[in-house]
Coordinates of all heavy atoms in Angstrom, one line a residue:
M1366 N 99.3 73.6 114.1 CA 99.1 74.7 113.2 C 97.9 75.5 113.5 O 97.5 76.3 112.7 CB 99.1 74.2 111.8 CG 100.2 73.4 111.3 SD 101.8 74.2 111.5 CE 102.9 72.9 111.8
A1367 N 97.3 75.3 114.6 CA 96.1 76.1 114.9 C 96.5 77.5 115.4 O 97.7 77.7 115.7 CB 95.3 75.4 116.0
G1368 N 95.6 78.4 115.4 CA 95.9 79.7 116.0 C 96.4 80.7 115.0 O 96.8 81.8 115.3
N1369 N 96.4 80.4 113.7 CA 96.8 81.4 112.7 C 95.6 82.3 112.5 O 94.6 81.9 111.9 CB 97.2 80.7 111.4 CG 97.6 81.7 110.3 OD1 97.5 82.9 110.6 ND2 98.1 81.2 109.2
P1370 N 95.7 83.6 112.9 CA 94.5 84.5 112.8 C 94.1 84.7 111.4 O 93.0 85.1 111.1 CB 95.0 85.7 113.5 CG 96.5 85.7 113.5 CD 96.9 84.2 113.4
R1371 N 95.0 84.5 110.4 CA 94.6 84.7 109.0 C 93.6 83.7 108.5 O 93.0 83.8 107.4 CB 95.8 84.7 108.1 CG 96.7 85.9 108.3 CD 97.9 85.8 107.4 NE 98.9 86.8 107.8 CZ 99.4 87.7 106.9 NH1 98.9 87.8 105.7 NH2 100.3 88.5 107.3
N1372 N 93.5 82.6 109.2 CA 92.5 81.6 108.8 C 91.2 81.8 109.5 O 90.2 81.1 109.3 CB 93.0 80.2 109.2 CG 94.2 79.9 108.3 OD1 94.4 80.4 107.2 ND2 95.1 79.1 108.8
G1373 N 91.1 82.8 110.4 CA 89.9 83.0 111.2 C 88.8 83.7 110.4 O 89.0 84.3 109.3
R1374 N 87.6 83.6 110.9 CA 86.5 84.3 110.3 C 86.6 85.8 110.2 O 86.3 86.3 109.1 CB 85.2 83.9 111.1 CG 84.2 83.2 110.3 CD 82.8 83.8 110.6 NE 81.8 82.8 110.1 CZ 81.1 82.1 110.9 NH1 81.1 82.3 112.2 NH2 80.2 81.3 110.4
P1375 N 87.0 86.5 111.2 CA 87.1 87.9 111.1 C 88.1 88.3 110.0 O 87.9 89.3 109.3 CB 87.7 88.3 112.5 CG 87.3 87.2 113.4 CD 87.3 86.0 112.6
Y1376 N 89.1 87.6 109.8 CA 90.1 87.9 108.7 C 89.4 87.7 107.4 O 89.6 88.5 106.4 CB 91.3 87.1 108.9 CG 92.4 87.5 107.9 CD1 93.2 88.7 108.2 CD2 92.7 86.8 106.8 CE1 94.2 89.1 107.4 CE2 93.7 87.3 105.9 CZ 94.4 88.4 106.2 OH 95.4 88.8 105.4
R1377 N 88.7 86.6 107.2 CA 88.0 86.4 105.9 C 87.0 87.5 105.6 O 86.8 87.9 104.5 CB 87.3 85.0 106.0 CG 88.2 83.8 106.0 CD 88.9 83.7 104.7 NE 88.0 83.7 103.5 CZ 87.5 82.5 103.1 NH1 87.8 81.4 103.6 NH2 86.7 82.5 102.1
R1378 N 86.4 88.0 106.7 CA 85.4 89.0 106.5 C 86.1 90.3 106.1 O 85.6 91.1 105.2 CB 84.6 89.3 107.8 CG 83.2 89.7 107.6 CD 82.5 90.0 108.9 NE 82.4 88.9 109.8 CZ 82.5 88.9 111.1 NH1 82.6 90.1 111.7 NH2 82.4 87.8 111.8
L1379 N 87.3 90.6 106.6 CA 88.0 91.8 106.2 C 88.4 91.7 104.8 O 88.3 92.6 104.0 CB 89.3 91.9 107.1 CG 90.2 93.1 106.8 CD1 89.5 94.4 107.2 CD2 91.5 92.9 107.6
V1380 N 88.9 90.5 104.4 CA 89.3 90.2 103.0 C 88.1 90.5 102.0 O 88.2 91.2 101.0 CB 89.8 88.8 102.8 CG1 90.0 88.5 101.3 CG2 91.1 88.7 103.5
D1381 N 86.9 89.9 102.4 CA 85.7 90.1 101.6 C 85.3 91.6 101.5 O 84.9 92.0 100.4 CB 84.6 89.3 102.2 CG 84.8 87.8 102.0 OD1 85.7 87.4 101.1 OD2 84.1 87.0 102.6
W1382 N 85.4 92.3 102.6 CA 85.1 93.7 102.6 C 86.0 94.5 101.7 O 85.5 95.3 100.9 CB 85.2 94.2 104.1 CG 85.2 95.7 104.2 CD1 84.1 96.5 104.3 CD2 86.4 96.5 104.3 NE1 84.5 97.8 104.4 CE2 85.9 97.9 104.4 CE3 87.8 96.3 104.3 CZ2 86.7 99.0 104.5 CZ3 88.6 97.4 104.4 CH2 88.1 98.7 104.5
L1383 N 87.2 94.2 101.7 CA 88.2 94.9 100.8 C 88.0 94.5 99.4 O 88.0 95.4 98.5 CB 89.6 94.6 101.3 CG 90.7 95.4 100.6 CD1 90.6 96.8 100.9 CD2 92.1 94.9 101.1
R1384 N 87.8 93.2 99.1 CA 87.7 92.8 97.8 C 86.4 93.4 97.1 O 86.4 93.7 95.9 CB 87.5 91.2 97.7 CG 87.6 90.6 96.4 CD 86.9 89.3 96.3 NE 87.2 88.5 97.4 CZ 88.2 87.6 97.5 NH1 89.0 87.4 96.4 NH2 88.4 86.9 98.5
A1385 N 85.4 93.6 97.9 CA 84.1 94.1 97.4 C 84.3 95.5 96.8 O 83.5 96.0 96.1 CB 83.0 94.0 98.4
Q1386 N 85.3 96.2 97.3 CA 85.5 97.6 96.9 C 86.1 97.8 95.5 O 86.2 98.8 94.9 CB 86.3 98.4 97.9 CG 85.7 98.4 99.3 CD 86.5 99.1 100.3 OE1 86.8 100.3 100.1 NE2 86.9 98.4 101.3
R1387 N 86.7 96.7 95.0 CA 87.3 96.7 93.7 C 88.3 97.8 93.5 O 88.3 98.5 92.5 CB 86.2 96.7 92.6 CG 85.2 95.6 92.8 CD 85.6 94.5 91.9 NE 85.0 93.2 92.4 CZ 84.9 92.1 91.8 NH1 85.4 92.0 90.5 NH2 84.4 91.0 92.3
L1388 N 89.1 98.0 94.5 CA 90.1 99.1 94.4 C 91.3 98.7 93.5 O 91.6 97.5 93.4 CB 90.6 99.4 95.8 CG 89.6 100.0 96.8 CD1 90.1 100.0 98.2 CD2 89.2 101.4 96.3
P1389 N 92.0 99.7 93.0 CA 93.2 99.3 92.3 C 94.3 99.0 93.3 O 94.1 99.3 94.5 CB 93.5 100.6 91.5 CG 92.8 101.7 92.3 CD 91.6 101.1 92.9
C1390 N 95.4 98.5 92.8 CA 96.5 98.1 93.6 C 97.1 99.4 94.3 O 97.4 100.4 93.6 CB 97.6 97.4 92.8 SG 99.1 97.1 93.7
W1391 N 97.3 99.4 95.6 CA 97.8 100.6 96.3 C 99.3 100.7 96.1 O 99.8 101.8 96.4 CB 97.4 100.5 97.8 CG 98.3 99.7 98.6 CD1 98.3 98.3 98.7 CD2 99.3 100.1 99.5 NE1 99.2 97.9 99.6 CE2 99.9 99.0 100.2 CE3 99.8 101.4 99.9 CZ2 100.9 99.1 101.1 CZ3 100.8 101.5 100.9 CH2 101.3 100.3 101.4
L1392 N 99.9 99.7 95.6 CA 101.4 99.8 95.4 C 101.7 100.3 94.0 O 102.6 101.1 93.8 CB 102.0 98.4 95.6 CG 101.9 98.0 97.1 CD1 102.3 96.5 97.2 CD2 102.9 98.8 97.9
C1393 N 101.0 99.8 92.9 CA 101.4 100.3 91.6 C 100.3 101.1 90.9 O 100.5 101.7 89.9 CB 101.8 99.1 90.7 SG 100.4 98.0 90.3
G1394 N 99.1 101.1 91.5 CA 98.0 101.9 91.0 C 97.2 101.3 89.9 O 96.3 102.0 89.4
R1395 N 97.5 100.1 89.5 CA 96.8 99.5 88.4 C 95.6 98.7 88.9 O 95.6 98.3 90.0 CB 97.8 98.6 87.6 CG 98.8 99.4 86.9 CD 99.8 98.5 86.2 NE 101.0 99.3 85.8 CZ 101.4 99.4 84.5 NH1 100.8 98.7 83.6 NH2 102.4 100.1 84.2
D1396 N 94.7 98.4 87.9 CA 93.6 97.5 88.3 C 94.0 96.1 88.7 O 95.0 95.6 88.2 CB 92.6 97.4 87.1 CG 91.9 98.7 86.9 OD1 91.9 99.6 87.8 OD2 91.4 98.9 85.7
I1397 N 93.2 95.6 89.6 CA 93.5 94.2 90.1 C 92.6 93.3 89.4 O 91.4 93.6 89.2 CB 93.4 94.2 91.6 CG1 94.5 95.0 92.2 CG2 93.4 92.8 92.1 CD1 94.4 95.1 93.8
G1398 N 93.1 92.1 89.0 CA 92.2 91.1 88.4 C 91.4 90.3 89.5 O 91.8 89.3 89.9
Y1399 N 90.3 90.9 89.9 CA 89.5 90.4 91.0 C 88.9 89.0 90.6 O 88.5 88.3 91.5 CB 88.4 91.3 91.4 CG 89.0 92.4 92.3 CD1 89.4 93.7 91.7 CD2 89.2 92.3 93.7 CE1 89.9 94.7 92.5 CE2 89.7 93.3 94.5 CZ 90.1 94.5 93.9 OH 90.6 95.4 94.7
D1400 N 88.8 88.7 89.4 CA 88.2 87.5 89.0 C 89.2 86.4 88.5 O 88.9 85.4 88.1 CB 87.2 87.7 87.8 CG 86.1 88.6 88.2 OD1 85.6 88.5 89.4 OD2 85.7 89.5 87.4
L1401 N 90.5 86.8 88.7 CA 91.6 85.9 88.3 C 91.7 84.8 89.4 O 91.3 84.9 90.5 CB 92.9 86.6 88.2 CG 93.0 87.6 87.0 CD1 94.3 88.4 87.1 CD2 92.9 86.9 85.7
D1402 N 92.4 83.7 88.9 CA 92.8 82.7 89.9 C 93.6 83.3 91.0 O 94.5 84.1 90.7 CB 93.6 81.6 89.1 CG 93.9 80.4 89.9 OD1 94.8 80.6 90.8 OD2 93.3 79.4 89.8
P1403 N 93.4 82.9 92.2 CA 94.1 83.5 93.3 C 95.6 83.3 93.3 O 96.3 84.0 94.0 CB 93.5 82.8 94.6 CG 92.3 82.0 94.1 CD 92.3 82.0 92.6
R1404 N 96.1 82.4 92.5 CA 97.5 82.2 92.3 C 98.1 83.0 91.3 O 99.3 83.1 91.1 CB 97.8 80.7 92.1 CG 97.6 79.8 93.3 CD 97.5 78.4 92.9 NE 96.3 78.2 92.1 CZ 95.9 77.0 91.6 NH1 96.6 75.9 92.0 NH2 94.8 76.9 90.9
H1405 N 97.3 83.7 90.5 CA 97.8 84.6 89.4 C 98.5 85.8 90.0 O 98.1 86.3 91.0 CB 96.6 85.1 88.6 CG 97.0 85.7 87.3 ND1 97.5 87.0 87.2 CD2 96.9 85.2 86.0 CE1 97.7 87.3 86.0 NE2 97.4 86.2 85.2
P1406 N 99.6 86.2 89.4 CA 100.4 87.3 90.0 C 99.6 88.6 90.0 O 99.9 89.5 90.8 CB 101.6 87.4 89.0 CG 101.4 86.4 88.0 CD 100.3 85.5 88.3
L1407 N 98.6 88.8 89.2 CA 97.8 90.0 89.2 C 96.5 89.9 89.9 O 95.6 90.7 89.8 CB 97.6 90.5 87.7 CG 98.9 90.9 87.0 CD1 98.5 91.3 85.6 CD2 99.6 92.0 87.7
S1408 N 96.3 88.8 90.6 CA 95.1 88.6 91.4 C 95.1 89.5 92.7 O 96.1 90.1 93.0 CB 94.9 87.2 91.7 OG 95.9 86.7 92.6
F1409 N 94.0 89.5 93.3 CA 93.8 90.3 94.5 C 94.4 89.7 95.8 O 94.3 88.5 96.0 CB 92.3 90.6 94.8 CG 92.0 91.0 96.1 CD1 92.2 92.3 96.5 CD2 91.5 90.1 97.1 CE1 91.8 92.8 97.8 CE2 91.1 90.5 98.3 CZ 91.3 91.9 98.7
T1410 N 95.2 90.5 96.5 CA 95.6 90.1 97.9 C 95.3 91.2 98.8 O 95.3 92.4 98.4 CB 97.0 89.7 98.0 OG1 97.8 90.8 97.6 CG2 97.4 88.5 97.1
L1411 N 95.2 90.9 100.1 CA 95.1 91.9 101.1 C 96.5 92.2 101.6 O 97.2 91.3 102.1 CB 94.1 91.4 102.2 CG 93.8 92.5 103.3 CD1 92.4 92.1 103.9 CD2 94.8 92.6 104.4
D1412 N 96.9 93.4 101.5 CA 98.2 93.8 102.0 C 98.0 94.7 103.2 O 96.9 95.2 103.4 CB 98.9 94.6 100.9 CG 100.4 94.8 101.3 OD1 100.9 94.0 102.2 OD2 101.1 95.6 100.7
H1413 N 99.0 94.7 104.1 CA 98.9 95.5 105.3 C 99.8 96.7 105.2 O 101.0 96.6 104.9 CB 99.2 94.7 106.5 CG 98.2 93.7 106.8 ND1 98.2 92.4 106.4 CD2 97.1 93.8 107.6 CE1 97.1 91.7 106.8 NE2 96.4 92.6 107.5
L1414 N 99.3 97.9 105.5 CA 100.1 99.1 105.5 C 101.2 99.0 106.5 O 102.4 99.2 106.1 CB 99.1 100.3 105.8 CG 99.7 101.7 105.6 CD1 100.1 101.9 104.2 CD2 98.6 102.7 106.0
E1415 N 100.9 98.6 107.7 CA 101.9 98.3 108.7 C 102.0 96.8 108.7 O 101.1 96.1 108.9 CB 101.5 98.8 110.1 CG 101.3 100.3 110.2 CD 102.7 101.0 110.3 OE1 103.7 100.3 110.5 OE2 102.7 102.2 110.2
P1416 N 103.2 96.3 108.4 CA 103.4 94.8 108.4 C 102.9 94.2 109.7 O 103.1 94.7 110.8 CB 104.9 94.7 108.2 CG 105.4 96.0 107.7 CD 104.5 97.0 108.2
V1417 N 102.3 93.0 109.5 CA 101.7 92.3 110.6 C 102.8 91.9 111.5 O 102.6 91.7 112.7 CB 100.8 91.2 110.1 CG1 100.3 90.3 111.3 CG2 99.7 91.7 109.3
S1418 N 104.0 91.6 111.0 CA 105.1 91.2 111.8 C 105.5 92.3 112.8 O 105.9 92.0 113.9 CB 106.3 90.9 110.9 OG 106.6 92.0 110.1
K1419 N 105.2 93.6 112.4 CA 105.5 94.7 113.4 C 104.3 95.0 114.2 O 104.4 95.4 115.4 CB 105.9 95.9 112.6 CG 107.3 95.9 112.1 CD 107.6 97.2 111.4 CE 109.0 97.1 110.7 NZ 109.1 98.3 109.8
R1420 N 103.1 95.0 113.6 CA 101.9 95.4 114.3 C 100.8 94.3 114.2 O 99.9 94.5 113.4 CB 101.4 96.7 113.6 CG 102.3 97.9 113.8 CD 102.5 98.3 115.2 NE 101.2 98.5 115.9 CZ 100.6 99.7 115.9 NH1 101.1 100.7 115.3 NH2 99.4 99.8 116.5
P1421 N 101.0 93.2 114.9 CA 100.0 92.1 114.8 C 98.7 92.6 115.3 O 97.7 92.0 115.0 CB 100.6 91.1 115.8 CG 101.7 91.7 116.6 CD 102.2 92.9 115.7
D1422 N 98.6 93.7 116.1 CA 97.4 94.2 116.6 C 96.5 94.8 115.5 O 95.3 95.0 115.6 CB 97.6 95.2 117.7 CG 98.5 96.3 117.3 OD1 99.6 96.0 116.7 OD2 98.2 97.5 117.5
L1423 N 97.2 95.1 114.4 CA 96.5 95.7 113.2 C 96.1 94.7 112.2 O 95.6 95.1 111.1 CB 97.3 96.8 112.6 CG 97.6 98.0 113.5 CD1 98.5 99.0 112.7 CD2 96.3 98.7 113.9
L1424 N 96.2 93.5 112.5 CA 95.9 92.4 111.5 C 94.5 92.6 110.9 O 94.2 92.4 109.7 CB 96.1 91.1 112.1 CG 95.7 89.9 111.2 CD1 96.6 89.8 110.0 CD2 95.6 88.6 112.0
L1425 N 93.5 92.9 111.8 CA 92.1 93.0 111.4 C 91.6 94.4 111.3 O 90.4 94.7 111.2 CB 91.3 92.2 112.4 CG 91.6 90.7 112.5 CD1 90.8 90.1 113.6 CD2 91.3 90.0 111.2
A1426 N 92.5 95.4 111.3 CA 92.1 96.8 111.2 C 91.9 97.2 109.8 O 92.8 97.0 108.9 CB 93.2 97.7 111.9
K1427 N 90.7 97.7 109.5 CA 90.3 98.1 108.2 C 91.3 99.2 107.7 O 91.6 99.3 106.5 CB 88.9 98.6 108.1 CG 87.9 97.5 108.2 CD 86.5 98.0 108.1 CE 85.5 96.8 108.0 NZ 84.1 97.3 108.0
E1428 N 91.6 100.1 108.6 CA 92.5 101.2 108.1 C 93.9 100.8 107.8 O 94.7 101.5 107.2 CB 92.5 102.3 109.2 CG 93.0 101.9 110.6 CD 92.0 101.4 111.5 OE1 90.9 100.9 111.0 OE2 92.2 101.4 112.7
N1429 N 94.2 99.6 108.2 CA 95.5 99.0 107.9 C 95.5 98.1 106.6 O 96.6 97.7 106.2 CB 96.1 98.3 109.1 CG 97.6 98.0 108.9 OD1 98.3 98.9 108.5 ND2 98.0 96.8 109.3
A1430 N 94.3 97.9 106.1 CA 94.2 96.9 105.0 C 94.3 97.7 103.6 O 93.7 98.7 103.5 CB 92.9 96.2 105.1
R1431 N 95.0 97.1 102.7 CA 95.1 97.7 101.4 C 95.0 96.6 100.3 O 95.5 95.5 100.6 CB 96.5 98.4 101.2 CG 96.7 99.6 102.1 CD 95.8 100.8 101.6 NE 96.1 102.0 102.4 CZ 95.6 102.2 103.6 NH1 94.8 101.4 104.2 NH2 95.9 103.4 104.2
A1432 N 94.4 96.9 99.2 CA 94.3 96.0 98.1 C 95.6 96.0 97.3 O 96.0 97.1 97.0 CB 93.1 96.3 97.2
A1433 N 96.1 94.9 97.0 CA 97.3 94.8 96.2 C 97.3 93.6 95.3 O 96.7 92.6 95.6 CB 98.5 94.8 97.1
H1434 N 98.1 93.7 94.2 CA 98.3 92.5 93.4 C 99.2 91.5 94.2 O 100.0 91.9 95.0 CB 99.2 92.9 92.2 CG 98.5 93.8 91.2 ND1 98.9 95.0 90.9 CD2 97.3 93.6 90.5 CE1 98.1 95.5 90.0 NE2 97.2 94.7 89.7
R1435 N 98.9 90.3 93.9 CA 99.8 89.3 94.6 C 101.3 89.6 94.3 O 102.1 89.5 95.2 CB 99.4 87.9 94.0 CG 100.3 86.8 94.4 CD 99.7 85.4 94.1 NE 98.5 85.2 94.9 CZ 98.4 85.0 96.2 NH1 99.6 84.9 96.9 NH2 97.3 84.8 96.8
R1436 N 101.5 89.9 93.0 CA 102.9 90.2 92.6 C 103.5 91.3 93.4 O 104.6 91.2 94.0 CB 102.8 90.6 91.1 CG 104.1 90.9 90.5 CD 103.9 91.2 89.0 NE 103.2 92.5 88.9 CZ 103.0 93.1 87.8 NH1 103.3 92.5 86.7 NH2 102.4 94.3 87.7
C1437 N 102.8 92.5 93.5 CA 103.3 93.6 94.3 C 103.4 93.3 95.7 O 104.4 93.8 96.4 CB 102.4 94.8 94.0 SG 102.3 95.3 92.3
N1438 N 102.4 92.7 96.3 CA 102.5 92.4 97.7 C 103.7 91.5 98.1 O 104.4 91.9 99.0 CB 101.2 91.6 98.0 CG 101.0 91.4 99.5 OD1 101.8 91.7 100.3 ND2 99.8 91.0 99.9
S1439 N 104.0 90.5 97.3 CA 105.1 89.7 97.7 C 106.4 90.3 97.4 O 107.4 90.0 98.0 CB 104.9 88.3 97.0 OG 104.9 88.5 95.6
S1440 N 106.5 91.2 96.4 CA 107.7 91.8 96.1 C 108.1 92.9 97.0 O 109.2 93.3 97.1 CB 107.7 92.3 94.6 OG 106.8 93.4 94.5
R1441 N 107.0 93.4 97.7 CA 107.2 94.5 98.6 C 107.9 94.1 99.9 O 108.9 94.6 100.3 CB 105.9 95.1 98.9 CG 105.9 96.2 100.0 CD 104.5 96.6 100.3 NE 104.5 97.6 101.4 CZ 103.9 97.4 102.5 NH1 103.2 96.3 102.7 NH2 103.9 98.2 103.5
G1442 N 107.2 93.2 100.6 CA 107.7 92.9 102.0 C 108.2 91.6 102.2 O 109.3 91.3 101.8
N1443 N 107.3 90.8 102.7 CA 107.6 89.4 103.1 C 108.9 88.8 102.7 O 109.1 88.0 101.9 CB 106.5 88.5 102.5 CG 105.1 89.1 102.8 OD1 105.0 89.9 103.8 ND2 104.1 88.7 102.1
R1444 N 109.9 89.3 103.3 CA 111.3 88.8 103.0 C 111.6 87.5 103.7 O 112.7 87.0 103.7 CB 112.3 89.9 103.5 CG 112.1 91.2 102.9 CD 113.1 91.5 101.8 NE 112.6 92.5 100.8 CZ 112.6 93.8 101.0 NH1 113.1 94.3 102.1 NH2 112.1 94.6 100.0
T1445 N 110.6 86.9 104.3 CA 110.8 85.6 104.9 C 110.9 84.5 103.8 O 111.5 83.5 104.1 CB 109.6 85.3 105.8 OG1 108.4 85.5 105.1 CG2 109.6 86.1 107.1
T1446 N 110.3 84.8 102.6 CA 110.5 83.9 101.6 C 111.9 84.0 101.0 O 112.5 85.0 101.0 CB 109.5 84.1 100.5 OG1 109.6 85.5 100.1 CG2 108.1 83.8 100.9
T1447 N 112.4 82.9 100.6 CA 113.8 82.9 100.1 C 113.8 83.5 98.7 O 113.2 83.1 97.8 CB 114.3 81.4 99.9 OG1 113.3 80.7 99.2 CG2 114.5 80.8 101.3
Q1448 N 114.6 84.6 98.6 CA 114.8 85.3 97.3 C 116.2 85.3 97.0 O 117.1 85.7 97.8 CB 114.2 86.7 97.4 CG 112.7 86.7 97.4 CD 112.2 88.1 97.5 OE1 113.0 89.1 97.6 NE2 110.9 88.3 97.5
P1449 N 116.6 84.9 95.8 CA 118.0 85.0 95.3 C 118.4 86.4 95.2 O 117.7 87.3 94.8 CB 117.9 84.3 94.0 CG 116.5 84.4 93.5 CD 115.7 84.4 94.7
K1450 N 119.6 86.6 95.6 CA 120.2 88.0 95.5 C 120.7 88.2 94.1 O 121.8 88.0 93.7 CB 121.3 88.1 96.5 CG 120.9 88.6 97.8 CD 122.1 89.1 98.7 CE 121.6 89.7 100.0 NZ 122.8 90.2 100.8
T1451 N 119.8 88.8 93.3 CA 120.2 89.0 91.9 C 120.4 90.5 91.6 O 120.8 90.8 90.5 CB 119.1 88.5 90.9 OG1 117.9 89.0 91.4 CG2 119.1 87.0 90.9
A1452 N 120.2 91.3 92.6 CA 120.3 92.8 92.3 C 121.8 93.1 92.1 O 122.7 92.8 92.9 CB 119.8 93.5 93.5
P1453 N 122.1 93.8 91.0 CA 123.5 94.2 90.7 C 123.9 95.3 91.7 O 123.1 96.2 92.1 CB 123.4 94.8 89.3 CG 122.0 95.1 89.1 CD 121.1 94.2 90.0
Q1454 N 125.1 95.2 92.1 CA 125.5 96.2 93.1 C 126.3 97.3 92.5 O 127.5 97.3 92.3 CB 126.4 95.5 94.1 CG 125.7 94.3 94.8 CD 126.4 93.8 96.0 OE1 127.5 94.1 96.2 NE2 125.7 93.0 96.8
R1455 N 125.5 98.3 92.1 CA 126.1 99.5 91.5 C 126.3 100.7 92.4 O 126.9 101.7 92.0 CB 125.2 100.0 90.3 CG 125.1 99.0 89.2 CD 124.2 99.6 88.2 NE 123.9 98.6 87.2 CZ 122.8 98.6 86.4 NH1 121.9 99.6 86.5 NH2 122.5 97.6 85.5
A1456 N 125.9 100.5 93.6 CA 125.8 101.6 94.5 C 127.2 102.1 94.9 O 127.5 103.3 95.0 CB 125.1 101.2 95.8
S1457 N 128.2 101.2 95.0 CA 129.5 101.6 95.5 C 130.4 101.9 94.3 O 131.6 101.5 94.3 CB 130.1 100.5 96.3 OG 130.2 99.3 95.6
R1458 N 129.9 102.6 93.3 CA 130.8 102.8 92.1 C 131.2 104.3 92.0 O 131.7 104.7 91.0 CB 130.0 102.4 90.9 CG 130.7 101.3 90.2 CD 130.2 101.1 88.8 NE 131.2 100.6 87.9 CZ 130.9 100.3 86.6 NH1 129.7 100.6 86.2 NH2 131.8 99.9 85.8
R1459 N 131.0 105.0 93.0 CA 131.2 106.4 92.9 C 132.7 106.8 93.1 O 133.1 107.9 92.6 CB 130.4 107.2 94.0 CG 129.0 107.3 93.6 CD 128.5 108.7 93.8 NE 127.2 108.9 93.2 CZ 126.3 109.7 93.7 NH1 126.5 110.3 94.8 NH2 125.2 109.9 93.0
W1460 N 133.4 106.0 93.7 CA 134.8 106.4 94.0 C 135.6 106.2 92.7 O 136.2 106.7 92.1 CB 135.4 105.5 95.1 CG 135.3 104.1 94.7 CD1 134.2 103.3 95.0 CD2 136.3 103.3 94.1 NE1 134.5 102.0 94.5 CE2 135.7 102.0 94.0 CE3 137.6 103.5 93.6 CZ2 136.4 100.9 93.4 CZ3 138.3 102.5 93.1 CH2 137.7 101.2 93.0
Ligands
ZN2970 ZN1 100.2 96.2 91.8

C-alpha cells in the first residue's frame, strides 16, 4: 500500500494551506465546519477541480485545489464508491 501520494508530506502541506484560508465550499457556497470532526459530512475536505483520476499531475497543484464539504465532495465525483441507483427515471417521459 505504499506510494499513495495523498499520504505524502507535500499533500498534507497542500491540505493545510487550503484549510488555513477558511474558504466556503466551492460546490455549494456555504461555510465549512473547519473545526468539525473530519468524518462529519460538513467538515472540510480538499477537492480537486480536475479529478485526480484524469489529471494525476495536478494532485499537488494549488490552482487545482478547492475547499469542499465532505458531503459535497463525495456526492460530486468519486463514483468508485458503491452508490445505490435510487434516482427516479423521469427523463424518458416525454413521448
Ligand atoms: Zn458544500
Side-chain angles (χ1 to χ4, degrees):
M1366 303 300 149
N1369 183 352
R1371 286 179 196 239
N1372 293 331
R1374 239 225 197 109
Y1376 189 75
R1377 289 295 302 272
R1378 212 184 299 147
L1379 180 70
V1380 171
D1381 289 344
W1382 167 83
L1383 185 63
R1384 192 205 313 271
Q1386 300 180 57
R1387 304 269 157 164
L1388 294 169
C1390 173
W1391 80 284
L1392 292 167
C1393 72
R1395 294 173 192 240
D1396 288 341
I1397 292 175
Y1399 282 93
D1400 299 319
L1401 291 173
D1402 184 286
R1404 285 163 298 184
H1405 192 284
L1407 295 179
S1408 66
F1409 162 78
T1410 60
L1411 188 154
D1412 193 18
H1413 288 92
L1414 191 59
E1415 296 285 347
V1417 177
S1418 52
K1419 283 185 190 165
R1420 296 295 307 271
D1422 54 312
L1423 293 180
L1424 176 69
L1425 298 174
K1427 285 181 176 177
E1428 61 270 23
N1429 195 42
R1431 294 289 185 278
H1434 293 120
R1435 170 168 299 286
R1436 185 180 65 176
C1437 296
N1438 191 347
S1439 58
S1440 68
R1441 171 185 176 241
N1443 311 338
R1444 303 254 154 83
T1445 48
T1446 53
T1447 50
Q1448 284 180 359
K1450 270 195 173 179
T1451 49
Q1454 301 192 350
R1455 289 178 192 159
S1457 57
R1458 241 194 151 178
R1459 282 227 167 148
W1460 55 276

